[in-house]
Amino acid sequence: MDYTLDAGDKIEIDLTTEESQDILPEDIPVEVVYEDSDILIVNKPPFMVVHPTKGHPTGTLSNAVMNYFIKTNQNSIVRLVNRLDRDTSGLVMIAKSQFAHQQMANKMDKNEIDKYYIAVVEGYIDGSGTIDLPIDRPSPESIKREVMEGGQRAVTHYEVLKASNDMSLVLIKLETGKTHQIRVHFSHIGHPLIGDTLYGRESNLINRQALHAYKLKFTTIREGKEIEITADIPEDIKKLIDYIEK
């Protein structure tokens, strides 16, 4: 039906849609660090896969988040804005709608979301610096990435917070977000992450790479409010920090 609007008329648009996703909800605890009408940010524990795969069809962060949405009566599916490796702990952002995902993904692409990590690396480093070296796979089937000519530009800024002769605690800010970027860059300069068996070596002090997605800074989609959130450092990395201090 055609209708000519008059001054004072109000228009309401119902954007509610029923969405479904092939992810089984599982009653797994979720540590919510921040939530608004558009996004959910959780603190992922180490050793948890972010999204179901053939090798890990259940027990993932996405299974836990799907259950959280159902328990809190939210009509949302899991739209990951960022991902972390299985053994990396810390902040993961999930968008609650296609609109929110598009907006936050655009912010990521434009480097409008500041991403900070805590890492413990082998050996002594001091001061601060930037690693600006391209990264790519040496072959299509390779899991590992390498610093190589012709790769994609990758930029890692770092500041050393504490250091001993054996290891250093580093605060890292990513300017780009390539797969395994932090692990590849620090391995390349001779300071692989403690416990990183892919780019370094095993450690008897920690049974994973010592990497934690520590802080996010961004502005909200609707109000443009500045948000800064942090995720508590896990106990296994705290033990390494104690080791450095002693």
Side-chain angles (χ1 to χ4, degrees), residues 50-173:
V50 169
H51 194 272
T53 63
K54 285 185 179 179
H56 297 88
T58 59
T60 73
L61 181 67
S62 294
N63 297 112
V65 170
M66 183 63 81
N67 185 68
Y68 174 80
F69 282 149
I70 292 171
K71 283 173 63 176
T72 53
N73 297 314
Q74 299 190 65
N75 178 32
S76 300
I77 61 174
V78 180
R79 291 183 172 92
L80 297 165
V81 179
N82 70 312
R83 297 169 185 255
L84 297 177
D85 296 334
R86 172 185 174 271
D87 292 347
T88 300
S89 55
L91 298 171
V92 176
M93 182 185 293
I94 301 103
K96 296 184 179 182
S97 67
Q98 188 173 349
F99 167 75
H101 186 267
Q102 181 187 48
Q103 294 297 308
M104 298 311 290
N106 285 342
K107 286 179 182 286
M108 282 281 189
D109 291 341
K110 295 176 181 176
N111 203 27
E112 293 175 357
I113 299 177
D114 292 336
K115 305 171 289 293
Y116 295 86
Y117 289 73
I118 287 286
V120 183
V121 303
E122 292 187 15
Y124 176 84
I125 316 180
D126 63 357
S128 59
T130 296
I131 307 169
D132 186 349
L133 295 168
I135 292 174
D136 210 340
R137 297 186 192 206
S139 62
E141 65 276 4
S142 175
I143 297 173
K144 292 183 71 173
R145 269 70 172 173
E146 295 179 4
V147 168
M148 54 194 302
E149 242 182 272
Q152 295 180 315
R153 188 178 184 222
V155 182
T156 305
H157 306 285
Y158 69 89
E159 177 187 355
V160 178
L161 303 179
K162 299 177 188 290
S164 69
N165 290 331
D166 298 325
M167 61 184 74
S168 302
L169 174 67
V170 186
L171 176 65
I172 296 161
K173 182 184 179 185

Side-chain angles (χ1 to χ4, degrees), residues 31-36 39-44 82 90-94 104 108 113-118 171 212-220 225-233:
E31 182 185 343
V32 176
V33 182
Y34 173 83
E35 184 172 13
D36 62 25
I39 61 170
L40 173 75
I41 301 178
V42 301
N43 184 13
K44 183 186 86 67
N82 70 312
L91 298 171
V92 176
M93 182 185 293
I94 301 103
M104 298 311 290
M108 282 281 189
I113 299 177
D114 292 336
K115 305 171 289 293
Y116 295 86
Y117 289 73
I118 287 286
L171 176 65
H212 178 63
Y214 173 63
K215 181 164 66 174
L216 289 173
K217 292 172 67 176
F218 59 95
T219 57
T220 58
K225 181 181 177 183
E226 291 189 3
I227 301 293
E228 179 176 325
I229 55 171
T230 59
D232 290 341
I233 298 173

